[in-house]
Amino acid sequence: MIKRELYMSRIRPFIGSDLIKVITGIRRSGKSVMMELIKKEIINSGVNPSQFISINFENLCYSHLQTARALHDEITARAESIDGKVYLFFDEIQEVKEWEKCINSLRISLDCDIYISGSNAKLLSSELSTYLGGRYVEFIIYPFSFAEFSELYYLSAPDEIMQNVFQKYLLFGGMPYLANLRFAEEPSKQYLQDLFTSVQLKDIVRRNKIRDVDLLERIIAYVMSNVGTTFSATSLTKFLKSEKRTVAPETILNYIKYCCDAYLIYQVKREDLQGKQILASNEKYYIADHGIREAVFGGNTKDINLILENIVYMELLRRGYKITVGKYGNKEIDFVCRKGGEKLYVQVAYLLASEETIEREFGAFYSIRDNFPKFVVSLDEFDFSRNGIIHKNIRDFLLMKDWT
């Protein structure tokens, strides 16, 4: 179990406060482990573990507590025998009917510190906003970064060279459980395929009462094969029409949103940097874990330029940046990233194999006159930095502590 300090450093200031801590993210990204890390942190501060009440609602042992009233009565009764503050940990809280009413009531009636996790953004954010009105903080847990993946990989293969570790990351992605399988190819692929099926059925189909599962599968396949490529619901409608499926763009957008709510894919808006406005069409989409794409659909090596872009996008998200795709005249910048007063521009390429490619990637920045860092990231081992624009090998970029 690695410490995942990136997340702990964000959660730590809120431990012990009356704000509800909400841990979200795609299924199996490590939310339960984060709960355990938080418990360790609290114990280290001097709290007795007997003050903890922990329930994972995916465990059938707790199926009798999956209503707001039953859960509320159970917790209230158990809290009576606890001296001092009660620490409540609820995994996959969305399995409890009207859970938000229970959580809100416990927050009011007990001296407690509450941590909840869930795998659906819509359910958590909409219900929490309604009942808790600003009395919660949310932390999204993503699959392993390359730095986290490397840390675990080197435990079993300490002499492996970094290039080979990155090759493994390209194919396997960052789902934490793969370390338990020692990154063996066939078991890892099977695990990721089963995980994808679980997300699709439990967090998308069942949660949104989808009847046309075939349509959903076709849409997910299209989005995954086109990660990092701008397209619209209209273009997807035309593609489906060529497959003898007539679907309204609104239906497609709804299905894509369900996938975003389950943290399977992420939508990135396009921004006109001259007009300083968000553009209404042709968004880009990225997948939460590129290893799932390889296991389910294959082709990560063939589409390596898109996968590198996906990896960089997820790393930017992990580090807390708000991201858009930049448009400046007829030039496109892969990522325009903002966090607080910081700003960052990033171009991602496979290899800077020709002067034409170098000019295209670096040239995207020439019209932007501000002094914020501008990176071109690729698999090249040589440094092509020029005109104040920084070139980085992607491995080095992902392992940098700070980009500003």
Side-chain angles (χ1 to χ4, degrees):
M1 191 161 72
I2 64 174
K3 291 182 179 178
R4 307 206 82 175
E5 182 58 26
L6 175 71
Y7 303 106
M8 280 308 307
S9 63
R10 295 170 186 167
I11 296 168
R12 195 172 286 120
F14 297 97
I15 292 176
S17 76
D18 61 354
L19 292 172
I20 292 161
K21 275 64 71 177
V22 183
I23 315 291
T24 60
I26 189 172
R27 189 173 287 270
R28 306 286 170 258
S29 59
K31 299 186 293 297
S32 298
V33 170
M34 282 310 306
M35 293 281 213
E36 293 305 313
L37 291 170
I38 292 165
K39 287 177 191 175
K40 281 190 174 182
E41 188 94 10
I42 294 170
I43 290 168
N44 290 339
S45 72
V47 173
N48 192 316
S50 65
Q51 294 171 244
F52 297 167
I53 299 176
S54 303
I55 298 176
N56 186 333
F57 290 103
E58 287 198 314
N59 187 332
L60 275 176
C61 294
Y62 300 112
S63 58
H64 64 292
L65 298 178
Q66 291 187 356
T67 66
R69 171 55 65 184
L71 180 60
H72 184 272
D73 292 348
E74 172 79 7
I75 299 303
T76 304
R78 289 171 64 174
E80 286 176 0
S81 61
I82 294 175
D83 291 328
K85 188 186 281 287
V86 181
Y87 294 83
L88 302 175
F89 298 89
F90 300 131
D91 261 322
E92 300 300 342
I93 190 73
Q94 74 269 7
E95 300 299 329
V96 178
K97 188 178 180 184
E98 297 188 310
W99 61 268
E100 64 285 349
K101 293 180 181 177
C102 171
I103 296 297
N104 194 36
S105 180
L106 293 172
R107 183 187 65 80
I108 294 166
S109 61
L110 294 179
D111 177 16
C112 61
D113 188 13
I114 304 176
Y115 301 82
I116 63 176
S117 82
S119 307
N120 190 284
K122 175 178 174 288
L123 189 76
L124 289 167
S125 60
S126 61
E127 305 300 352
L128 281 167
S129 298
T130 302
Y131 283 90
L132 300 176
R135 297 187 186 91
Y136 69 96
V137 282
E138 183 179 13
F139 306 95
I140 301 176
I141 308 301
Y142 301 100
F144 280 161
S145 65
F146 177 54
E148 291 173 318
F149 178 92
S150 303
E151 184 181 338
L152 271 183
Y153 195 88
Y154 277 124
L155 292 177
S156 57
D159 299 322
E160 191 65 271
I161 62 171
M162 184 63 78
Q163 287 95 323
N164 290 347
V165 178
F166 188 69
Q167 284 289 335
K168 297 285 187 185
Y169 187 61
L170 272 173
L171 291 177
F172 291 123
M175 296 310 291
Y177 191 79
L178 297 186
N180 295 1
L181 303 174
R182 296 189 173 274
F183 307 102
E185 187 167 345
E186 284 309 311
S188 296
K189 188 174 181 180
Q190 182 65 52
Y191 172 77
L192 291 171
Q193 287 170 347
D194 292 344
L195 168 62
F196 171 74
T197 301
S198 180
V199 171
Q200 184 172 276
L201 292 178
K202 289 185 180 178
D203 299 324
I204 303 175
V205 173
R206 196 178 79 188
R207 190 69 54 199
N208 299 287
K209 298 179 173 61
I210 290 175
R211 292 178 182 172
D212 195 343
V213 178
D214 174 69
L215 175 61
L216 174 70
E217 289 174 347
R218 288 169 188 253
I219 290 172
I220 291 175
Y222 183 91
V223 172
M224 284 204 186
S225 63
N226 289 280
V227 291
T229 307
T230 52
F231 65 85
S232 64
T234 306
S235 62
L236 189 37
T237 302
K238 289 176 182 173
F239 167 75
L240 290 168
K241 197 170 184 179
S242 72
E243 294 199 334
K244 307 293 188 289
R245 292 296 309 258
T246 303
V247 187
E250 294 75 20
T251 303
I252 290 170
L253 290 172
N254 284 336
Y255 278 32
I256 289 176
K257 184 170 190 314
Y258 298 152
C259 295
C260 293
D261 288 340
Y263 299 102
L264 177 63
I265 61 175
Y266 290 85
Q267 181 194 71
V268 189
K269 300 277 191 186
R270 293 169 69 241
E271 175 186 10
D272 185 339
L273 296 175
Q274 287 172 295
K276 296 183 179 176
Q277 63 180 5
I278 298 296
L279 301 170
S281 63
N282 292 340
E283 297 90 356
K284 284 189 177 185
Y285 294 90
Y286 296 94
I287 184 169
D289 181 72
H290 56 280
I292 293 176
R293 182 187 191 270
E294 173 66 22
V296 178
F297 300 100
N300 277 11
T301 305
K302 179 171 67 75
D303 298 325
I304 191 167
N305 56 322
L306 301 180
I307 299 308
L308 295 178
E309 200 174 301
N310 201 110
I311 288 170
V312 169
Y313 171 76
M314 290 306 300
E315 184 64 21
L316 292 163
L317 262 193
R318 256 182 224 102
R319 300 201 192 189
Y321 284 94
K322 303 275 190 230
I323 307 160
T324 56
V325 175
K327 178 180 174 295
Y328 199 102
N330 62 350
K331 301 276 177 67
E332 184 172 283
I333 295 158
D334 289 333
F335 303 121
V336 181
C337 320
R338 296 177 177 85
K339 180 169 66 175
E342 297 176 26
K343 199 172 183 182
L344 196 68
Y345 301 93
V346 184
Q347 282 288 93
V348 185
Y350 169 38
L351 290 170
L352 302 174
S354 66
E355 193 58 41
E356 182 186 351
T357 306
I358 293 171
E359 185 58 32
R360 183 182 70 240
E361 301 299 338
F362 283 80
F365 294 133
Y366 290 163
S367 300
I368 299 173
R369 303 297 183 192
D370 63 35
N371 293 317
F372 291 109
K374 299 168 182 68
F375 286 94
V376 172
V377 176
S378 74
L379 271 176
D380 295 280
E381 301 294 339
F382 296 105
D383 186 347
F384 288 96
S385 301
R386 57 180 68 188
N387 302 328
I389 299 163
I390 308 159
H391 171 249
K392 280 283 179 187
N393 174 277
I394 188 167
R395 300 186 306 275
D396 297 335
F397 180 79
L398 294 171
L399 295 173
M400 286 173 71
K401 297 286 186 202
D402 186 28
W403 295 318
T404 54

